């Protein structure tokens, strides 16, 4: 029983990282109605920034994290302004191709700047564990889950109780109507990208603390899985991204423990397919009726 609980807690920890990344996808899609497939590579950039701050400049972990959040936020806004803003009225396919292009641009830029060889992230940043009977829970695991919960609650409060949050909800419903009401849609979308990219930096620190290896392709698989989590939970929904991330992490860890480490990814995506066949909008997704 203690072994199963250990796997379950590890699944919640991994799922919390996926949920934080998925929040970036779901916020951008919910407001801008576009899929930012370069989001995973923002995580990679954040990981490299934090790695250099910790390893090369010996900065404290909090300062390194703040530097990662700041630079990733700037990167997210720059990418949105240069790559996505000119495509506001373009087709979804054009935006998707652009997002893939930005992803490859960031990966190749990282290879040129920092090389393709993996770099070892400083280990044991958060040491120690909590003993509960026979169960030993690392403090890193508890912190990861707690950070995810705090972010989800804070985002929900921000969206529902602030002026910018109201603007985001208005843009999500109808951008043209939001413009008529005096809302600056371009600024609102840029703020959404900034928040999502800042969250990517937090996710990169938690991810690399658990899996201490940094490379230009670091964000590819976590990015795909986080997007899967967002779709799983209902893309566009913050609680949906949270639930989808947790479920995905639990399914992945339990699959590795009890079925096969090689088949765990296939099982994760198979579960997604089954869920979408039963409920195409995801767990908390809502059907949108369009007038013709």
């Amino acid at each position: 029983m203690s072994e199963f609980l250990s796997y379950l807690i590890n699944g919640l920890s991994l799922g919390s990282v996926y949920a934080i990344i998925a929040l970036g996808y779901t916020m951008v899609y919910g407001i801008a109605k576009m899929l930012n497939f370069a989001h995973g590579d923002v995580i990679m950039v954040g990981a490299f920034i934090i790695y250099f701050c910790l390893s090369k400049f010996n900065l404290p972990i909090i300062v390194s994290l703040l530097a990662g959040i700041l630079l990733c936020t700037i990167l997210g806004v720059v990418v949105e302004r240069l790559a996505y803003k000119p495509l506001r009225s373009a087709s979804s396919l054009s935006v998707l191709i652009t997002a893939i292009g930005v992803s490859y641009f960031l990966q190749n830029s990282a290879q040129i700047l920092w090389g393709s060889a993996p770099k070892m992230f400083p280990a044991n940043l958060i040491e120690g564990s909590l003993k509960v009977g026979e169960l030993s829970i690392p403090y890193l695991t508890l912190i990861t889950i707690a950070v995810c919960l705090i972010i989800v609650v804070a985002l929900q409060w921000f969206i529902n109780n602030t002026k910018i949050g109201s603007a985001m909800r208005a843009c999500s419903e109808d951008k043209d109507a939001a413009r008529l009401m005096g809302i600056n849609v371009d600024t609102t979308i840029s703020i959404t990208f900034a928040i999502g990219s800042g969250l990517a930096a937090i996710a990169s620190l938690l991810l690399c603390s658990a899996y201490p290896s940094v490379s230009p392709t670091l964000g590819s698989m976590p990015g795909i899985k986080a997007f899967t989590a967002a779709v799983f939970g209902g893309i566009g929904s913050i609680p949906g991204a949270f639930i989808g991330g947790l479920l995905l992490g639990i399914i992945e860890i339990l699959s590795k423990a009890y079925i096969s480490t090689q088949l765990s990814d296939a099982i994760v995506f198979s579960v997604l397919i089954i869920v979408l066949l039963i409920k195409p909008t995801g767990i908390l997704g809502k059907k949108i009726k369009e007038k013709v």
Side-chain angles (χ1 to χ4, degrees), residues 180-222:
L180 292 174
M181 294 175 68
I183 294 171
N184 190 324
V185 173
D186 289 335
T187 300
T188 303
I189 292 174
S190 293
I191 291 171
T192 306
F193 268 84
I195 293 171
S197 299
L199 293 178
I202 297 173
S204 69
L205 175 60
L206 296 173
L207 182 66
C208 291
S209 297
Y211 305 96
S213 177
V214 186
S215 69
T217 57
L218 166 72
S220 298
M221 187 53 74

Side-chain angles (χ1 to χ4, degrees), residues 22-170:
L23 288 170
Y25 280 111
T26 208
M27 286 186 68
V28 169
Y29 181 83
I31 292 162
K33 294 296 183 287
M34 61 161 288
L35 298 173
N36 179 24
F37 278 115
H39 188 62
D41 299 290
V42 177
I43 297 166
M44 173 269 296
V45 173
F48 269 109
I49 292 167
I50 295 171
Y51 163 78
F52 284 115
C53 286
L54 290 170
S55 300
K56 305 300 181 182
F57 303 111
N58 296 316
L59 295 176
I61 186 170
I62 297 297
V63 177
S64 301
L65 175 60
L66 290 175
I69 291 172
L70 176 63
L71 293 175
C72 282
T73 298
I74 294 170
L75 176 62
V77 173
V78 169
V79 166
E80 190 276 327
R81 288 296 173 98
L82 295 181
Y84 300 135
K85 185 179 177 181
L87 301 175
R88 287 277 192 269
S89 57
S91 66
S92 300
L93 181 60
S94 299
V95 177
L96 179 62
I97 292 171
T98 301
I100 294 171
V102 171
S103 174
Y104 280 115
F105 173 78
L106 291 175
Q107 284 187 26
N108 284 279
S109 297
Q111 287 185 9
I112 293 169
L113 289 171
W114 303 309
S116 57
K119 295 172 173 56
M120 291 308 296
F121 204 79
N124 301 321
L125 288 175
I126 303 171
E127 297 179 321
S129 59
L130 176 67
K131 296 283 186 180
V132 182
E134 296 181 358
L135 196 62
S136 178
I137 309 170
Y139 287 133
L140 175 62
T141 298
L142 295 173
I143 290 171
T144 301
I145 296 169
V147 167
C148 180
L149 285 169
I150 291 168
I151 288 172
V152 170
V153 171
L155 271 181
Q156 277 291 86
W157 181 88
F158 177 80
I159 294 294
N160 293 318
N161 296 279
T162 64
K163 188 175 180 180
I164 296 173
S166 298
M168 288 178 174
R169 284 186 283 121

Side-chain angles (χ1 to χ4, degrees), residues 216-235:
T217 57
L218 166 72
S220 298
M221 187 53 74
I224 291 171
K225 288 181 179 177
F227 171 69
T228 302
V231 175
F232 194 4
I235 194 161

